[in-house]
Amino acid sequence: MKITIESDLQAAGIDFELYHHSSMYTYEESLAMKAEKGFTGTETKALFMKGKKDGRYYILFTLPDKRNDFKYLKKLVGQKLSVVSPEELETETGQESGAVCPIGYPAEVGQLIHEDILKAEKLVFAPGRPDQTMVIKTQDLDKILDLYQNERFMVSDQVED
């Protein structure tokens, strides 16, 4: 499954900003580059995960400071999830760890979105490459997700027993 977010957004007429830079893999590097390039937006992170029961893939779109409660995610999607290995990530998506795109997957990939993402004005993320950064308006997120027709799950900080 190849991520084609840039061309998909262009074809749909959805505005975005795309920045080219040296490869980055850490939150700290992204903050320094953001200051250097002078753009604004809320930094995000994405985890590519797999269901233990059926092998279905999921993408978690969240904020860098959010704790991942895997028991909560299991209740949300109905099966235990685990982050895929860097090798499986690259084989399945062509992406490297640290540069996972949070959107743009085929419909069979479940989309988990942390509710706090929706509070930001703009969202900053790697579009599947460590040498690029994309910025979108949060108000366009529903339009973008509609392009791919992924099943959506809203994630909250609510921890259930």
Side-chain angles (χ1 to χ4, degrees):
M1 75 184 79
K2 186 174 180 192
I3 304 302
T4 57
I5 187 76
E6 183 180 352
S7 59
D8 294 343
L9 295 183
Q10 286 172 336
I14 298 171
D15 291 331
F16 62 92
E17 300 167 42
L18 185 65
Y19 297 90
H20 299 269
H21 46 71
S22 59
S23 293
M24 302 179 310
Y25 297 97
T26 68
Y27 178 63
E28 292 75 19
E29 289 174 321
S30 65
L31 289 178
M33 187 279 304
K34 186 175 166 184
E36 176 188 317
K37 298 282 186 181
F39 63 87
T40 60
T42 300
E43 294 289 331
T44 63
K45 75 176 178 181
L47 296 174
F48 195 68
M49 300 184 292
K50 186 176 188 177
K52 292 283 189 185
K53 187 175 12 175
D54 63 7
R56 180 180 181 194
Y57 291 109
Y58 294 83
I59 186 77
L60 174 62
F61 190 11
T62 188
L63 300 172
D65 63 344
K66 294 295 174 187
R67 186 178 143 256
N68 301 312
D69 183 343
F70 286 94
K71 286 184 180 181
Y72 170 74
L73 294 177
K74 178 181 178 181
K75 288 182 180 182
L76 192 63
V77 303
Q79 65 179 315
K80 185 176 180 179
L81 299 178
S82 61
V83 177
V84 301
S85 69
E87 296 79 22
E88 186 172 2
L89 173 67
E90 190 165 345
T91 299
E92 291 298 320
T93 71
Q95 300 177 87
E96 298 176 37
S97 288
V100 177
C101 190
I103 53 180
Y105 296 88
E108 63 269 11
V109 176
Q111 181 78 54
L112 297 121
I113 304 165
H114 194 284
E115 64 187 4
D116 287 351
I117 289 283
L118 305 177
K119 296 175 184 174
E121 182 180 336
K122 291 181 176 181
L123 303 171
V124 177
F125 56 89
R129 296 178 48 158
D131 62 345
Q132 293 182 358
T133 296
M134 185 173 275
V135 181
I136 60 167
K137 294 176 189 164
T138 306
Q139 69 186 23
D140 291 333
L141 187 57
D142 276 337
K143 286 189 276 186
I144 294 167
L145 295 173
D146 287 346
L147 289 174
Y148 301 100
Q149 302 178 342
N150 307 90
E151 181 179 9
R152 298 177 204 168
F153 301 88
M154 289 308 295
V155 178
S156 71
D157 287 332
Q158 179 82 29
V159 177
E160 300 176 16
D161 293 325

